[in-house]
Amino acid sequence: MKLKLDLHDIYNRGDEIERALKGIIDEAVAKKAPLVEIIPGKGSGQLKKRVLRFLDRKDVKALYHRVEKDSDNFGRVFVHFRWR
């Protein structure tokens, strides 16, 4: 199971971006999903930086295993979870 979050529609609404990111991480934890794909898009790179800053927060970082920036597609980030 892979969860997917596309931020194209809300790229300029800060509160909604934060809520969407928190929501997808919470959903992954609840469903024990191994992978979340977040699509900030290519653009200027500011939205991707915001996503990475969110994922780097201590409270969020404790929930997942690792983050992978897609080497083939700059506008995509994978969040990997490890469940026991």
Side-chain angles (χ1 to χ4, degrees):
M1 171 194 355
K2 175 175 84 170
L3 300 177
K4 188 173 182 177
L5 174 64
D6 189 339
L7 296 173
H8 280 103
D9 295 340
I10 57 172
Y11 71 93
N12 60 351
R13 296 194 293 264
D15 296 350
E16 289 184 43
I17 292 167
E18 189 86 8
R19 267 197 302 277
L21 288 169
K22 183 164 178 13
I24 199 76
I25 297 296
D26 289 347
E27 184 180 348
V29 169
K31 293 181 176 178
K32 294 200 179 315
L35 181 66
V36 171
E37 178 183 353
I38 301 173
I39 303 171
K42 294 183 177 150
S44 69
Q46 291 305 306
L47 185 53
K48 182 176 180 179
K49 284 181 187 170
R50 184 174 186 153
V51 168
L52 294 174
R53 272 197 310 273
F54 173 84
L55 293 172
D56 204 37
R57 287 185 0 201
K58 198 173 187 180
D59 60 321
V60 177
K61 211 172 192 174
L63 301 173
Y64 65 85
H65 173 57
R66 69 185 174 94
V67 171
E68 172 189 2
K69 299 171 199 150
D70 190 341
S71 57
D72 298 329
N73 183 347
F74 177 78
R76 193 160 65 168
V77 176
F78 295 108
V79 183
H80 297 269
F81 293 82
R82 184 184 287 163
W83 307 109
R84 292 170 202 236

